[in-house]
Amino acid sequence: MRTPRILLVGMMGAGKTTTGQLVAQRLGWDYEDSDADVEATTGLTVPELFARDGEAAFRRAETQVLATSCARQMSSVVSVAGGAVLSAENRELIRESGTVIWLRARPEKLAARVGDGAGRPLLGDDPG
């Protein structure tokens, strides 16, 4: 039997972290956030990892923490890093690992939530 798991996917600012924490609390499950796990694993913030090693290194770390989250034998809610779905391997892992929920929001709402883009290296100098 597969371990119960909910995986939240969506663009940055879609509400994965907020929703994931609330759902995990309500269910009494563990909560995991891929971006936070990347930071814990690498010892660098996401912007620091991008600056030092580039996007490819971040994507590798993102894949590693996703695989670790999906291998755990405990019920959990996982906020999947926004770009993880760019990889076919990650999409397959996500699909096989639990119930997938795609959080969406209108572009104006995403822009408002992301603000000036601080801490979000993919936005660079143009958060809007």
Side-chain angles (χ1 to χ4, degrees):
M1 179 176 197
R2 184 168 74 181
T3 301
R5 186 173 292 109
I6 296 172
L7 299 106
L8 303 175
V9 299
M11 296 284 295
M12 67 178 85
K16 297 181 298 291
T17 299
T18 301
T19 302
Q21 290 171 338
L22 291 170
V23 170
Q25 181 180 21
R26 173 72 59 96
L27 294 173
W29 290 5
D30 285 342
Y31 172 72
E32 297 181 64
D33 184 288
S34 294
D35 286 334
D37 291 346
V38 165
E39 291 183 355
T41 300
T42 64
L44 300 168
T45 66
V46 172
E48 289 168 344
L49 181 58
F50 262 77
R52 189 184 85 179
D53 299 331
E55 183 176 354
F58 172 73
R59 296 294 174 211
R60 285 190 300 276
E62 180 179 71
T63 295
Q64 177 187 359
V65 300
L66 177 62
T68 299
S69 292
C70 291
R72 288 200 172 100
Q73 297 301 307
M74 60 185 78
S75 300
S76 60
V77 177
V78 180
S79 293
V80 178
V85 297
L86 298 174
S87 158
E89 174 187 344
N90 288 345
R91 287 192 305 273
E92 184 64 23
L93 178 61
I94 292 165
R95 186 175 21 258
E96 292 175 352
S97 296
T99 301
V100 182
I101 299 174
W102 178 24
L103 300 180
R104 297 184 293 175
R106 295 191 181 280
E108 311 81 57
K109 179 62 84 175
L110 294 172
R113 289 178 180 166
V114 170
D116 67 1
R120 300 177 188 265
L122 286 175
L123 291 179
D125 296 327
D126 184 19

